[in-house]
Amino acid sequence: KTFFIAVSRRRRRCHNSIPSFLPSFLPSFPSFFYVMSASRTETLSRFLTMLPDEARVGRTDEEQVEELFAALPAEFRQLPLDVQVEKLEQLMVRFREMEQQDKAQEQYEAYRQDIFRNYEPLHGNLLRLGGWKLDEKLVQTLAALEKCGADDIERQRKLLDGLMRREADGVYSFAMVSQETCDKLLAEAQHFEKWCADTKRSVNRPNSMNKYGAILDDFGFSSVLHHIMVAVVEPMARVYFPHVVVVGGSAASSNANQTDEDQKTDSTTTTTTATTTTTTTTTLVESVEAAMKHKSALDSHHGFMVDYEMQKDRELNFHVDDADVTLNLCLGHKFEGGDLMFGGVRCQFHTGTPIDKHERVHVSHEAGRALLHLGAHRHLAQPITRGRRSNLILWCRSSSFRDALYQQFSQSQHPSWCGIHKQLVHAHHHDNCGCDQHGDHKHNHHHH
C-alpha cells in the first residue's frame, strides 16, 4: 500500500500523465521485476527511466529510488529478496486491475449520462412510481404496514400473509402490477433497444448469464426501482427475511446514494399527489413518501429485464443472485415452460453443496405477479418450450447486512440462515436429544 502511495505522489507531480502509461507497461512488469534478484536498485532505476521525462525533471535516479525505498515498510525490506519480488508483482497486478476497474466505471458513467441526455422514453410516466398501476390490495397493505409500529412484527406478518402466497419455504408471490403496466414496460424496453440500434449505441446486458435483455437503470429507471426497493421490498423483507434488514445508526433519508438523474425523477414523483385523482395512486405516493423518510437497510440495487425465447436464451443454469433479496416480476408474453426450480438457501461457502430432497421446489410464473426470495436461495430457470417470457428483476442489497456477514466469515462463523448450517444444527440437536430414526425423543439427561 505504501509503495503505491509513493507511485501516486509521482503521478500527481506528472499531472496524471502516468496512468495512461502504466497499463501498457504492466504486461511486461513481472518478468521485468525478476531482474531485482540481481540488483534491486538497478531494476528500480531502470523502471524510473521508463517514466515520462516530466516525472524526472530536477531529480536524479538515486533520489527517486531512495524515495521508493523509504516508502516500503521496514518489515517488508527485511523479507528475502525473492519474497519481496513476488509480493511486488502481486501488488502491481492488483494495481493494474484497480486501474482497469476505475476506467471501466468512468466509461460506464459516461455511457449512462449520454443516454440520460439523449434518450426520449416512450412511456415517461413509468420513470416515477405514480405511473405504475400497482395492485390495489398491494397498495392498501403497504399503507397499513406504514401505520404499524416498527416492532409490531406480528401485526405486519398478519397483514402480509393476507397479501402474499407462500410458494415454498422462503419463496413468496404477490399480485404487483396490471397487465397494462406490464405491456408498457415491455414496450419501453423494446423502444430502448431499437433506439440504441438506430443510433449505433450498445445495450448493456443484465449480467454474465443472460445474453438478452437490458439494464433498466441505464435508461432512467434507477429512481423508481429505488422507490420500489424501499417502499415495497423492504417492508416484506423485514417480516420474511429479518436477518437481512439490519439498520444501524439513526433514521436518515434513503435518498443519500441517489444520482442527479434520480433526483430529477424524484421531483416528478413528489408532485404526483397534486395531479392524480385516484385514491390508489394517492395512497401509494403517500406510502412511498413515508417510507423514504426512514433509513433504509436495503440501500442499493441492480434492476434489469431478461428475455427467454426459443431462438435466444431458453433457460438459466443453477445459480445464486448477487443480491440479498430478489424481486422477480413476470411481465408476460404468451409462453409455456420456464418455471423456476429452487434448491435451498446457501451462504457463499456452500453454494456447490447438494440439494436436499425437501429443498427442491418448482414455481410457475404469472404475468403481473412477482416472486420474492433471498438472493442466496439457489435456483434455475427451466427451458421455455413455447413463446416468449420476459421478467423484470430487481436485485436489492444491504451494505449493513454484507458488512455483518463479512465479520461472521472473518471469524469463521457460519450464518444461521444457510441451509447447511441448519442441517448441522439439526444433526447436533438430534445427537444431543437422543431422537430415534423417526424423530421421536428418547429420555436423555444431557439434553440441552
Side-chain angles (χ1 to χ4, degrees):
K1 181 177 179 180
T2 51
F3 174 76
F4 289 123
I5 290 175
V7 175
S8 67
R9 289 197 195 110
R10 190 177 314 286
R11 285 168 54 186
R12 285 195 294 272
R13 284 200 301 271
C14 300
H15 305 291
N16 294 323
S17 60
I18 303 298
S20 60
F21 152 76
L22 279 177
S24 61
F25 169 66
L26 282 169
S28 61
F29 205 83
S31 58
F32 177 71
F33 240 119
Y34 270 117
V35 184
M36 287 180 64
S37 58
S39 171
R40 183 172 54 182
T41 302
E42 178 185 351
T43 301
L44 286 174
S45 296
R46 288 174 58 188
F47 169 65
L48 294 171
T49 61
M50 299 181 71
L51 298 178
D53 291 339
E54 58 267 29
R56 299 185 290 114
V57 173
R59 295 167 59 80
T60 65
D61 286 353
E62 289 75 14
E63 290 173 333
Q64 295 176 75
V65 169
E66 190 61 34
E67 179 183 346
L68 286 176
F69 277 151
L72 297 173
E75 59 270 22
F76 182 88
R77 295 196 298 269
Q78 293 171 3
L79 293 172
L81 196 56
D82 58 339
V83 175
Q84 291 186 43
V85 172
E86 182 180 358
K87 289 185 177 295
L88 286 172
E89 277 185 29
Q90 294 170 354
L91 285 172
M92 293 306 294
V93 169
R94 178 61 185 143
F95 182 67
R96 182 187 183 191
E97 292 174 350
M98 291 168 61
E99 292 271 314
Q100 292 173 337
Q101 290 169 1
D102 290 345
K103 184 177 181 180
Q105 184 62 32
E106 290 174 2
Q107 292 174 339
Y108 192 35
E109 290 301 325
Y111 168 82
R112 280 193 174 180
Q113 286 300 316
D114 173 60
I115 293 172
F116 180 58
R117 287 190 299 267
N118 297 289
Y119 177 66
E120 290 293 336
L122 181 65
H123 299 291
N125 62 333
L126 290 177
L127 303 185
R128 61 181 189 274
L129 197 50
W132 293 43
K133 289 189 176 180
L134 295 189
D135 179 79
E136 187 172 349
K137 188 174 182 180
L138 168 63
V139 176
Q140 292 172 350
T141 302
L142 293 174
L145 286 171
E146 187 59 38
K147 295 176 182 177
C148 285
D151 298 326
D152 193 356
I153 299 298
E154 288 306 312
R155 172 64 177 159
Q156 295 176 36
R157 180 179 293 276
K158 185 176 181 180
L159 287 168
L160 284 173
D161 285 348
L163 170 73
M164 311 288 276
R165 185 168 74 201
R166 184 179 179 275
E167 302 288 351
D169 187 17
V171 182
Y172 306 88
S173 73
F174 60 97
M176 182 172 174
V177 297
S178 67
Q179 186 60 54
E180 179 185 351
T181 297
C182 289
D183 293 341
K184 286 184 176 180
L185 286 166
L186 289 169
E188 189 65 46
Q190 184 176 359
H191 177 67
F192 174 68
E193 293 225 23
K194 183 179 185 304
W195 177 79
C196 287
D198 292 345
T199 60
K200 303 297 189 292
R201 287 176 169 86
S202 62
V203 178
N204 288 323
R205 298 309 176 186
N207 50 61
S208 59
M209 299 181 73
N210 291 98
K211 298 182 179 67
Y212 300 91
I215 299 175
L216 292 167
D217 297 306
D218 285 352
F219 53 109
F221 281 85
S222 183
S223 180
V224 66
L225 293 179
H226 179 82
H227 290 160
I228 289 173
M229 177 180 70
V230 172
V232 180
V233 177
E234 178 148 332
M236 297 175 178
R238 190 181 301 122
V239 172
Y240 295 120
F241 312 122
H243 64 279
V244 172
V245 185
V246 181
V247 183
S250 58
S253 169
S254 56
N255 291 317
N257 64 342
Q258 290 183 276
T259 63
D260 292 339
E261 175 188 345
D262 298 335
Q263 299 298 338
K264 180 178 178 180
T265 49
D266 281 348
S267 64
T268 59
T269 303
T270 55
T271 59
T272 306
T273 307
T275 58
T276 184
T277 58
T278 65
T279 303
T280 299
T281 305
T282 302
T283 305
L284 168 64
V285 174
E286 289 174 348
S287 297
V288 171
E289 290 176 343
M292 297 298 286
K293 293 177 182 177
H294 306 298
K295 183 177 177 63
S296 174
L298 299 176
D299 49 17
S300 65
H301 73 267
H302 177 55
F304 53 94
M305 200 175 290
V306 294
D307 282 312
Y308 295 92
E309 203 169 358
M310 295 299 292
Q311 304 304 321
K312 297 182 179 179
D313 287 332
R314 288 191 59 208
E315 60 189 319
L316 196 63
N317 293 332
F318 203 45
H319 67 282
V320 295
D321 296 337
D322 184 12
D324 301 319
V325 180
T326 294
L327 179 77
N328 185 336
L329 170 63
C330 180
L331 299 177
H333 294 302
K334 294 182 179 180
F335 62 90
E336 294 179 9
D339 290 355
L340 292 184
M341 190 279 284
F342 288 88
V345 178
R346 297 290 189 272
C347 69
Q348 66 186 66
F349 292 116
H350 297 126
T351 54
T353 55
I355 304 174
D356 196 87
K357 60 182 180 181
H358 76 275
E359 295 178 318
R360 188 186 300 271
V361 292
H362 297 261
V363 180
S364 300
H365 293 279
E366 299 177 37
R369 197 167 184 89
L371 295 172
L372 187 78
H373 60 84
L374 289 172
H377 203 149
R378 302 179 299 177
H379 57 283
L380 59 79
Q382 295 183 310
I384 194 168
T385 56
R386 180 179 297 178
R388 177 184 176 189
R389 174 171 70 82
S390 297
N391 289 59
L392 185 157
I393 314 291
L394 183 60
W395 286 353
C396 306
R397 298 159 177 157
S398 168
S399 56
S400 57
F401 169 68
R402 294 188 171 206
D403 289 345
L405 192 61
Y406 174 78
Q407 291 299 323
Q408 277 189 298
F409 288 150
S410 65
Q411 298 170 15
S412 300
Q413 298 175 354
H414 294 292
S416 59
W417 47 262
C418 174
I420 294 297
H421 176 82
K422 287 182 178 179
Q423 292 175 18
L424 294 173
V425 170
H426 177 75
H428 178 71
H429 172 75
H430 185 281
D431 292 341
N432 282 340
C433 72
C435 296
D436 62 21
Q437 61 180 345
H438 301 292
D440 297 324
H441 288 281
K442 295 179 179 178
H443 183 68
N444 188 337
H445 293 291
H446 297 288
H447 173 61
H448 298 287

